[in-house]
Amino acid sequence: MKRRRNAVLGCVVVLAVAASGGVVSSAAHADEVELIANGTFDDGTAPWWSTPNVRVTGVDGRLCAEVPAGTVASYDAIVGLDAVPLVAGERYRLTFSASADAARQPRVLVQLPVDPFTPYVEVRPQLGATPVDVRHTFTSTVDLPAAQVQFQLGGAAEAWTFCLDDVSLLRGVGPDIHQPDTGPRVRVNQVAYLPHGPKNATVVTTAVTALPWRLNNARGVAVATGRTRPRGVDQSSGQNVHSVDFTRYVAKGAGYTLVVDGETSHPFDISSAAYERLRVDALKFYYTQRSGVAIREDLRPGYGRPAGHVDVAPNRGDRAVGCAPGACAYTLDVTGGWYDAGDHGKYVVNGGISAYQLMNLWERTTLSRTGEPRRLGDRNLALPESGNGVPDVLDEARWQQEWMLKMQVPAGQPLAGMAHHKVHDVAWTGLPLMPHQDPQPRQLYPPSTAATLNLAATAAQAARVFQRHDRTFARRNLAAARAAWAAALAHPAAYAPAESVGGGPYDDTEVSDEFYWAAAQLYLTTGERQFRTYLLASPLHRADVFEPGGFFWRDVAALARLDLALVPNGLPDRGRIRASVLTAADRYLATQSHHPYGVPYAPAGNVWEWGSNSAILNNAVVLAAAFEIGRQERHRTGAIQAMDYILGRNALNQSYVTGYGELFAKNQHSRWYANQLDMTLPHPPNGTLAGGPNSNIQDPVAQERLAGCVAQFCYLDDIQSWSTNELTINWNASLASVASFVADQDDGRG
Ligand code: 9MR
């Protein structure tokens, strides 16, 4: 077929595409050179070649290849082209259109033409009957005068037909700036508003005066009308926007749409049902993150897998893991726990806040006047432990807490009582890679004060929340917490380094907040004077610990403050502590009401942090806590409204939770939910939160495709964008906390 543009071995002029939605477009490049000979197949298929088992024909100006049955490796059947030159440092764009008469996923490679056939570029398009247009931009890392382009078609038991057209490899292209398809300009919570909860939307428009809006029911009948509120240019998106408030409409139903400025929003419900599902799904996320145990297919259809890291080859851990040579004289059994994120590492620092937030979700629900603990009871998460009489959320948290205990340096060893900072592979692995197939050796990293205090905090908390369910476990945790506390006091400045290979650093050199958090948990559990004295003397006790950017694994003083405010205790200044939460909540509310997308998050300099979705949700956790303390409607409303942003009321018009909303994140960075790379693997389970917009775009894919992005636009639903689109145990904990709070409010008046 003829290419849509003149691109055969010469210069190509590409018109600049107009920027839309705050994203800068690629500039025209006058120096593009086409490197593919006869990529249109208008004159037969030469000089393309194939392995002898593949019959290639020219069909209607395309190349079609009949692949025989019974191939095993991808390279058992190939269609290829030789003599494609690559120059190191040059940027290239590979494009083609391909189809298959069955669901197939070939490997498309630009590679060394001779042994060892090193691939420098790999694309894995998912093909079916309708031709798919594939586009991949890359910068060559090698000089290769005669590389090969290969379409590797082997690996299917059945025979199939592959068709290819419009193959192009351009040298000298400009950056491939992502143009998000942001759909209708009316932005809503694509899942559901609570019947008696807040109902707000945002409209992207050039209009500067109020516009009429109309709320339609599923039959398209207008059920409410009003006028928008012009809000000017929103800093977090760079867009001119209006907001819509249709809170007063309270009738339950499905399939509502909001019509403004000639645009119709994605449909949504007015109902609380989705939040009951979401609180469960957000918590079910953890079972499939478990390490050291087979995931049961009957409990998670589509997600069953063998146990990871139990020393079955090719795994090399975690039953007896040692330190770096010379760093310790013992090995530890550190099987179990949750994989932190899309990698196979396990980290005490981040593991701590995650286990804490799950136990805290339970504890706060039992203390809350709107809390519905029976919804978080035994058997609600379909776990192997379901039916043991213990709330499933605690069973899940215990899985991690048991592992936290294993990371403690044993008595009799140097640094006894401290916790190793982390355990992970000694080198980074690629994607996809199932946990049980990870071949890297594992290593324990040196104990750190921060990890030790995470252990002290969660173990003290576990001693409290498990007391009713398992006294022996509670006692074991309290002993571990005391030993960790003493060890941290003795080694108050053992910091994990910021440099890290094979896993994340979770570095932190300011641990006064971890001391405060651990002391708070120990005090709440024991009531002992030593911890009370420590708390009252800590400068953090009177400081403003609620940052605009929210609490997170490195900044945990707010966790202490929230628990000291919510969990009954005998501190003399409890009234002031509780009031400080209300003050902070009112600040988040002020931020939210100024924000035309209703986000209670305004980080310094409009720099959205790695994992911003979790920061936004954690600020909603503070709002929810304030509602518990003061019973003021505005705090409940603020917490509920924060969810709108996560579920679609945002500049990208998408939900960040897999399985929720019309358009949702589903390619989060993970080595085993790697469907984008291998269609036999699943997407992340429903209820998985993506990290979200990250102004600093640290990964190369985001750097290429999001260059120049404005805050909310710094996100890509691509499995390789680990700095904007990972999944983690701490971020899902924020989601579970807020989803559970929203579900507890029932129709909004809970
Ligand atoms: O969530 C972490 C973020 O706050 C840090 O800025 C970032 C860089 O240190 O690391 C993030 O955590 C990653 C961890 O280091 C390794 N596992 C995946 C985590 C999520 O991306």
Side-chain angles (χ1 to χ4, degrees):
M1 189 187 289
K2 277 275 177 278
R3 279 203 190 103
R4 281 173 284 273
R5 59 187 194 199
N6 172 24
V8 183
L9 291 170
C11 289
V12 185
V13 177
V14 183
L15 293 176
V17 182
S20 70
V23 176
V24 187
S25 74
S26 48
H29 256 243
D31 307 327
E32 294 178 354
V33 178
E34 178 58 73
L35 302 172
I36 298 291
N38 189 24
T40 58
F41 309 111
D42 288 333
D43 311 308
T45 59
W48 290 78
W49 52 263
S50 67
T51 48
N53 56 343
V54 173
R55 202 169 78 89
V56 165
T57 47
V59 179
D60 303 333
R62 292 175 302 163
L63 176 154
C64 288
E66 283 168 37
V67 184
T71 57
V72 180
S74 63
Y75 50 78
D76 287 349
I78 306 174
V79 169
L81 182 73
D82 293 334
V84 176
L86 292 184
V87 178
E90 283 272 359
R91 191 185 274 131
Y92 297 81
R93 182 169 304 130
L94 175 68
T95 50
F96 57 88
S97 163
S99 62
D101 62 352
R104 293 283 183 266
Q105 190 171 21
R107 292 178 75 196
V108 184
L109 305 168
V110 182
Q111 65 167 42
L112 198 68
V114 291
D115 204 10
F117 303 105
T118 316
Y120 293 104
V121 176
E122 175 164 359
V123 186
R124 305 225 38 202
Q126 301 189 10
L127 304 183
T130 311
V132 174
D133 287 329
V134 178
R135 171 188 174 104
H136 181 72
T137 304
F138 61 95
T139 300
S140 181
T141 52
V142 282
D143 280 319
L144 216 56
Q148 242 172 21
V149 174
Q150 289 200 358
F151 290 82
Q152 296 195 347
L153 309 172
E158 308 82 25
W160 64 289
T161 303
F162 167 74
C163 290
L164 182 64
D165 204 356
D166 291 340
V167 189
S168 162
L169 182 65
L170 291 177
R171 187 179 69 215
V173 297
D176 196 3
I177 301 293
H178 176 57
Q179 307 281 338
D181 177 3
T182 53
R185 289 183 287 104
V186 183
R187 307 293 157 73
V188 296
N189 177 331
Q190 297 172 15
V191 177
Y193 295 93
L194 298 185
H196 290 275
K199 297 178 200 73
N200 295 278
T202 302
V203 185
V204 181
T205 175
T206 51
V208 290
T209 54
L211 296 166
W213 59 259
R214 193 172 79 237
L215 176 68
N216 283 348
N217 67 15
R219 282 174 286 117
V221 176
V223 292
T225 58
R227 294 186 80 75
T228 64
R229 187 177 147 214
R231 305 292 294 269
V233 174
D234 162 43
Q235 190 197 20
S236 71
S237 63
Q239 300 164 322
N240 187 64
V241 291
H242 293 198
S243 56
V244 175
D245 184 346
F246 57 106
T247 301
R248 67 186 156 80
Y249 186 78
V250 298
K252 276 189 204 160
Y256 287 100
T257 53
L258 191 65
V259 183
V260 196
D261 204 15
E263 297 262 320
T264 302
S265 75
H266 287 309
F268 54 87
D269 294 355
I270 296 182
S271 156
S272 60
Y275 295 99
E276 275 306 337
R277 282 199 307 278
L278 184 55
R279 83 159 124 200
V280 168
D281 283 346
L283 287 169
K284 285 173 89 171
F285 163 89
Y286 291 89
Y287 174 53
T288 41
Q289 286 293 118
R290 285 189 189 186
S291 177
V293 69
I295 303 305
R296 281 169 48 185
E297 180 70 20
D298 61 324
L299 298 179
R300 291 294 182 283
Y303 291 90
R305 59 171 171 81
H309 300 96
V310 285
D311 294 15
V312 174
N315 277 174
R316 296 158 76 181
D318 294 340
R319 283 202 193 288
V321 185
C323 304
C328 68
Y330 50 86
T331 61
L332 293 182
D333 175 350
V334 289
T335 49
W338 300 316
Y339 295 115
D340 183 59
D343 59 329
H344 299 137
K346 301 189 291 194
Y347 310 84
V348 172
V349 164
N350 197 49
I353 189 170
S354 310
Y356 160 84
Q357 241 178 330
L358 258 53
M359 289 189 268
N360 181 256
L361 166 55
W362 168 255
E363 187 173 41
R364 277 170 71 169
T365 305
T366 59
L367 293 171
S368 153
R369 274 165 292 184
T370 56
E372 296 171 332
R374 71 203 152 80
R375 303 268 190 194
L376 290 170
D378 190 18
R379 297 181 196 277
N380 84 321
L381 300 180
L383 300 178
E385 298 83 5
S386 295
N388 66 357
V390 178
D392 279 0
V393 62
L394 290 186
D395 285 326
E396 193 55 74
R398 179 173 178 159
W399 182 263
Q400 177 74 351
Q401 186 56 30
E402 294 271 12
W403 171 80
M404 298 276 292
L405 296 171
K406 292 179 177 181
M407 292 292 282
Q408 193 163 31
V409 178
Q413 296 292 345
L415 302 179
M418 291 197 76
H420 283 275
H421 192 66
K422 53 184 184 168
V423 54
H424 62 68
D425 296 343
V426 300
W428 281 110
T429 54
L431 278 67
L433 184 65
M434 295 302 285
H436 66 284
Q437 286 168 344
D438 171 15
Q440 284 294 328
R442 311 270 280 179
Q443 192 175 288
L444 284 173
Y445 290 77
S448 69
T449 309
T452 303
L453 291 166
N454 268 262
L455 174 63
T458 57
Q461 179 195 25
R464 185 167 74 247
V465 299
F466 281 96
Q467 176 66 20
R468 274 187 49 213
H469 305 288
D470 184 338
R471 284 196 185 172
T472 313
F473 184 59
R475 259 199 307 275
R476 188 150 67 88
N477 273 285
L478 189 55
R482 288 185 189 283
W485 175 256
L489 285 176
H491 307 280
Y495 304 133
E499 301 75 43
S500 180
V501 177
Y506 285 117
D507 52 310
D508 188 359
T509 51
E510 176 50 73
V511 294
S512 59
D513 54 321
E514 280 78 8
F515 270 109
Y516 183 58
W517 179 38
Q521 293 304 329
L522 280 156
Y523 173 67
L524 290 172
T525 299
T526 66
E528 287 173 13
R529 177 172 285 277
Q530 56 167 323
F531 302 117
R532 173 187 147 120
T533 306
Y534 189 95
L535 287 176
L536 294 175
S538 167
L540 286 173
H541 195 54
R542 297 195 152 265
D544 179 3
V545 295
F546 297 98
E547 304 280 342
F551 63 78
F552 71 122
W553 61 266
R554 188 184 268 145
D555 208 345
V556 293
L559 304 181
R561 184 70 62 79
L562 290 174
D563 278 6
L564 292 175
L566 288 166
V567 180
N569 65 76
L571 279 189
D573 54 351
R574 189 130 181 277
R576 186 193 57 78
I577 292 169
R578 285 164 74 83
S580 78
V581 176
L582 300 183
T583 307
D586 281 336
R587 230 166 34 220
Y588 291 139
L589 278 187
T591 299
Q592 183 176 50
S593 65
H594 278 112
H595 200 298
Y597 278 99
V599 192
Y601 177 67
N606 198 30
V607 176
W608 285 40
E609 287 294 328
W610 193 320
S612 62
N613 282 339
S614 164
I616 290 164
L617 289 164
N618 283 344
N619 287 352
V621 166
V622 177
L623 287 165
F627 175 64
E628 287 311 326
I629 293 168
R631 298 298 284 180
Q632 298 183 75
E633 205 48 52
R634 66 176 189 277
H635 294 138
R636 161 153 71 186
T637 299
I640 296 171
Q641 195 189 154
M643 202 57 124
D644 296 345
Y645 167 85
I646 299 293
L647 297 177
R649 184 192 173 196
N650 54 52
L652 290 173
N653 200 6
Q654 65 145 83
S655 156
Y656 288 105
V657 181
T658 308
Y660 285 77
E662 288 300 295
L663 217 99
F664 51 79
K666 59 177 189 309
N667 294 313
Q668 288 94 323
H669 179 82
S670 160
R671 280 167 178 67
W672 56 106
Y673 306 130
N675 177 278
Q676 190 186 337
L677 301 173
D678 176 348
M679 65 201 282
T680 65
L681 296 173
H683 288 289
N686 286 351
T688 301
L689 181 71
N694 171 0
S695 300
N696 291 315
I697 49 173
Q698 288 91 338
D699 67 84
V701 173
Q703 284 165 357
E704 164 83 23
R705 307 213 59 210
L706 300 174
C709 60
V710 175
Q712 280 204 56
F713 284 102
C714 300
Y715 171 79
L716 204 58
D717 187 21
D718 188 300
I719 194 163
Q720 303 293 5
S721 182
W722 40 263
S723 72
T724 77
N725 197 34
E726 194 154 353
L727 52 85
T728 71
I729 54 175
N730 55 318
W731 301 338
N732 244 72
S734 320
L735 175 67
S737 295
V738 181
S740 188
F741 173 79
V742 176
D744 280 347
Q745 308 317 310
D746 300 325
D747 69 359
R749 296 174 295 196

